[in-house]
């Protein structure tokens, strides 16, 4: 059984390896977890001894088959709890990450199964990220940044590339959420800002930063 700290490291290594599609450096892990590289090295040795990661000196670390399976179960619990907090307890989507960080360490597989069933077997969390199934399999739909969509196209908001609470709070203020239908009206070549129309015919301007971080599906 892994400790909370070991689970956090394993999840961080998995996420970093998926982002770069390569082995992960101790410095990258230290930056994400806000700790010292020496502490990372000690933890990598523990996880390696337990068979959860593969490590080669000077080349970096990655999850093993066993480690990937465990990391996906942690991620599954985290995202299911986020759905529960938003759908059943009416938390806002920018409020749930830290709470789910605590709840993801509950060990009971039965609780996870019952939670999944209670929620109707959701496939995405409140931020549009896919929820691994009980076998650790993920179905990922094709999403692109809104900034890449051409003028005149109608798209559906299906995720965010930045789960920072300030960004999510900003989206709430301009009434953009998962499932919001958007029509691209105008793109400004000078600064990358966009004019968009939403389903209620409201027309607003958004910055390139917002457009880059809003993931949509045509």
């Amino acid at each position: 059984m892994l400790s909370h700290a070991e689970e956090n490291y394993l999840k961080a290594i998995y996420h970093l390896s998926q982002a770069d599609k390569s082995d992960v450096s101790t410095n990258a892990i230290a930056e994400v977890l806000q700790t010292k590289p020496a502490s990372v090295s000690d933890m990598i040795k523990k996880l390696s001894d337990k068979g959860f990661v593969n490590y080669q000196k000077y080349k970096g670390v990655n999850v093993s088959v066993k480690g990937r399976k465990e990391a996906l179960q942690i991620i599954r619990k985290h995202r299911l709890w986020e759905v529960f907090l938003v759908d059943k307890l009416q938390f806002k989507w920018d409020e749930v990450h830290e709470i789910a960080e605590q709840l993801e360490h509950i060990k009971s597989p039965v609780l996870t199964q019952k939670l999944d069933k209670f929620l109707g077997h959701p496939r995405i969390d409140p931020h549009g990220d896919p929820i691994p199934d009980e076998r650790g399999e993920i179905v990922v739909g094709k999403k692109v940044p809104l900034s890449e969509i051409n003028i005149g196209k109608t798209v559906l908001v299906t995720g965010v590339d930045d789960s920072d609470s300030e960004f999510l709070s900003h989206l709430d203020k301009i009434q953009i959420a998962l499932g919001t239908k958007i029509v691209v009206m105008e793109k400004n070549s000078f600064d990358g800002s966009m004019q968009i129309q939403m389903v209620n015919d409201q027309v607003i301007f958004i910055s390139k930063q917002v457009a880059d971080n809003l993931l949509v599906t045509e």
Side-chain angles (χ1 to χ4, degrees), residues 1 26 31 38 41 51-52 56 68 76 79 87 96 120 127 131 151 155 158 160 165 170 186:
M1 186 176 291
T26 54
E31 184 177 351
S41 297
F52 287 102
Q56 284 185 291
R68 182 180 185 278
R76 169 175 164 79
R79 293 177 179 172
D87 288 2
V96 296
H127 309 112
I131 299 173
I151 295 172
V155 294
T158 51
V160 290
S165 60
H170 175 68
E186 184 181 324

Side-chain angles (χ1 to χ4, degrees), residues 2-212:
L2 294 171
S3 68
H4 288 193
E6 288 171 331
E7 288 185 344
N8 288 336
Y9 270 85
L10 192 60
K11 188 176 68 167
I13 293 166
Y14 173 81
H15 280 312
L16 287 167
S17 68
Q18 292 299 296
D20 295 334
K21 302 298 180 184
S22 62
D23 290 345
V24 181
S25 71
T26 54
N27 286 336
I29 300 167
E31 184 177 351
V32 167
L33 296 178
Q34 298 182 330
T35 189
K36 297 178 181 178
S39 299
V40 175
S41 297
D42 291 342
M43 182 60 78
I44 287 173
K45 186 177 185 310
K46 289 180 183 178
L47 291 171
S48 179
D49 290 344
K50 293 182 179 182
F52 287 102
V53 300
N54 299 315
Y55 174 69
Q56 284 185 291
K57 198 171 183 180
Y58 306 121
K59 288 189 176 181
V61 63
N62 213 324
V63 292
S64 63
V65 173
K66 178 182 177 182
R68 182 180 185 278
K69 182 178 178 181
E70 187 69 26
L72 284 167
Q73 289 307 309
I74 299 165
I75 292 166
R76 169 175 164 79
K77 288 185 286 184
H78 181 103
R79 293 177 179 172
L80 283 172
W81 281 118
E82 286 194 334
V83 174
F84 175 79
L85 291 166
V86 170
D87 288 2
K88 304 303 179 182
L89 299 185
Q90 283 73 58
F91 279 87
K92 294 181 180 179
W93 64 344
D94 60 323
E95 298 175 329
V96 296
H97 180 74
E98 293 301 324
I99 303 171
E101 285 281 305
Q102 300 170 51
L103 293 169
E104 71 185 25
H105 298 295
I106 297 173
K107 305 296 184 184
S108 172
V110 176
L111 175 60
T112 306
Q113 291 168 7
K114 287 185 178 291
L115 179 63
D116 185 32
K117 183 178 179 179
F118 175 67
L119 295 171
H121 308 289
R123 298 181 67 177
I124 61 170
D125 73 6
H127 309 112
D129 293 318
I131 299 173
D133 65 18
E134 200 168 351
R135 299 181 300 277
E137 295 178 1
I138 297 179
V139 178
V140 181
K142 186 177 181 181
K143 302 175 185 176
V144 296
L146 179 61
S147 55
E148 295 181 9
I149 300 298
N150 293 328
I151 295 172
K153 290 284 187 180
T154 300
V155 294
L156 199 67
V157 177
T158 51
V160 290
D161 199 36
D162 182 354
S163 295
D164 179 80
S165 60
E166 288 188 11
F167 176 61
L168 297 179
S169 180
H170 175 68
L171 293 182
D172 283 338
K173 288 179 182 177
I174 60 176
Q175 299 181 347
I176 293 178
L178 291 188
T180 298
K181 190 175 287 187
I182 287 174
V183 182
V184 177
M185 305 295 289
E186 184 181 324
K187 299 177 77 171
N188 191 325
S189 59
F190 173 69
D191 61 3
S193 62
M194 301 176 75
Q195 184 186 50
I196 61 172
Q197 182 181 38
M198 292 183 283
V199 71
N200 59 1
D201 292 331
Q202 180 186 8
V203 176
I204 63 171
F205 281 94
I206 59 171
S207 68
K208 184 178 187 300
Q209 184 179 2
V210 170
D212 283 342

